[in-house]
Amino acid sequence: MFKKQYLAIASALILTTTLIPTSSQAATGTKNLQAKYNNIKVIYNGAAVPTTIEPFIVNGTTYIPLRMMAGVFNKDVAWDGAKYTITVKDMPNSQHANELAARDAQIRSLQNTIDSLNKEIYDLKNNKKNNSSSNKKDDIQDALDDLEDDLNSDYDDYKDLKWSISLKGDEDDIDVKIKINLDKYQDEFDDLDDDGDVEALVEDIIKDIWDDKDFEDADIKGEIIDSDSDDTIYEFEGDASDEDINFDV
């Protein structure tokens, strides 16, 4: 019985740190202990934990082998006899590692799907924006062309002279060119100019542009041009904010 107790105590001393302090300041030495065996069993989740070293009781404290419990909790225990050190580390769990690897792969796959969907959404938004911008630009150009046709229809024979009106721009800014052949209509144009009818023509054209709902906020710059010599006769501006119209001869 004494030999069994001695061997058990020696094994327990190796596998636990309770009986011999490991602090660098702790004292070292040998103690004689009285161990009591009562056929102690360790039950984990309803099953007995096997061990080659029987647990025992010393001074009312039950001691069980560290290596036995390390196996229960999936820990790796190493004894360094030179340094009197016990090292406990987590043991690799292949099943857990495989589950993590599978989950990581799933996460990467989902992330790739998310990235692909985000790119698709981005492309759709850009296409919609570009299409919307393009459609709006086309709509404005169509409205400008229609307005140009209307102005030529209304003023092409103003005061029995032949006028040609062209428009360029958008809903914010419009450039107007009014052409007349002075080689043919110089005298008639001078008479209209003296009577203020040329300025009245320009004012009517600008106001007709502002009356169009698509161009009511457009600032206007324009010229009256001699179509024979391509010289500028008048320059004019229309400020939509206050509907002010200015002429520069």
Side-chain angles (χ1 to χ4, degrees):
M1 179 64 180
F2 175 78
K3 184 177 181 180
K4 179 179 179 182
Q5 289 179 347
Y6 175 79
L7 290 176
I9 292 172
S11 299
L13 287 174
I14 292 174
L15 293 173
T16 67
T17 59
T18 305
L19 301 181
I20 299 179
T22 58
S23 170
S24 59
Q25 289 79 22
T28 60
T30 302
K31 293 183 179 180
N32 294 323
L33 302 175
Q34 185 176 8
K36 181 179 181 181
Y37 291 88
N38 281 336
N39 194 24
I40 299 171
K41 294 179 176 60
V42 177
I43 307 298
Y44 179 70
N45 287 339
V49 179
T51 180
T52 57
I53 301 176
E54 183 181 344
F56 57 87
I57 300 172
V58 175
N59 294 329
T61 299
T62 302
Y63 294 87
I64 59 175
L66 179 60
R67 193 178 300 279
M68 178 184 73
M69 297 311 297
V72 170
F73 296 114
N74 199 33
K75 305 295 181 181
D76 182 38
V77 176
W79 166 250
D80 187 340
K83 296 180 179 179
Y84 284 85
T85 302
I86 299 172
T87 302
V88 181
K89 298 187 298 184
D90 291 330
M91 292 182 64
N93 187 323
S94 58
Q95 181 180 356
H96 184 59
N98 291 337
E99 290 175 354
L100 288 177
R103 184 166 298 179
D104 288 342
Q106 185 179 17
I107 291 172
R108 287 193 297 270
S109 176
L110 291 173
Q111 186 61 53
N112 290 336
T113 301
I114 291 171
D115 292 341
S116 177
L117 291 173
N118 283 336
K119 184 178 184 303
E120 185 176 348
I121 292 171
Y122 176 80
D123 291 341
L124 288 172
K125 285 183 177 179
N126 276 349
N127 289 337
K128 182 178 180 181
K129 181 179 179 180
N130 292 335
N131 289 336
S132 176
S133 177
S134 177
N135 291 338
K136 183 178 180 181
K137 185 176 180 180
D138 291 342
D139 292 342
I140 290 297
Q141 186 59 51
D142 290 342
L144 197 64
D145 291 342
D146 291 342
L147 179 59
E148 181 180 286
D149 292 340
D150 291 340
L151 292 175
N152 279 297
S153 177
D154 292 340
Y155 300 105
D156 65 335
D157 60 351
Y158 179 75
K159 299 296 182 180
D160 297 324
L161 277 65
K162 189 64 177 178
W163 306 83
S164 174
I165 303 170
S166 62
L167 305 177
K168 289 183 179 179
D170 52 31
E171 68 271 28
D172 297 317
D173 296 283
I174 294 179
D175 181 61
V176 180
K177 284 184 171 52
I178 305 172
K179 293 185 178 182
I180 185 170
N181 188 341
L182 293 187
D183 182 57
K184 184 176 181 180
Y185 298 111
Q186 183 68 64
D187 293 339
E188 293 87 343
F189 180 84
D190 289 342
D191 291 340
L192 292 177
D193 194 18
D194 291 340
D195 293 338
D197 289 331
V198 174
E199 289 188 1
L201 170 64
V202 171
E203 290 176 352
D204 287 344
I205 290 173
I206 291 177
K207 289 177 180 178
D208 284 351
I209 293 173
W210 284 338
D211 284 342
D212 191 302
K213 63 181 180 62
D214 291 314
F215 307 105
E216 59 187 0
D217 296 322
D219 291 328
I220 297 171
K221 289 185 178 181
E223 301 171 291
I224 298 178
I225 300 172
D226 178 6
S227 61
D228 179 57
S229 64
D230 206 29
D231 291 335
T232 298
I233 307 167
Y234 275 102
E235 290 182 346
F236 54 86
E237 292 184 354
D239 187 344
S241 62
D242 56 10
E243 297 187 355
D244 185 30
I245 300 172
N246 296 309
F247 293 85
D248 184 11
V249 180

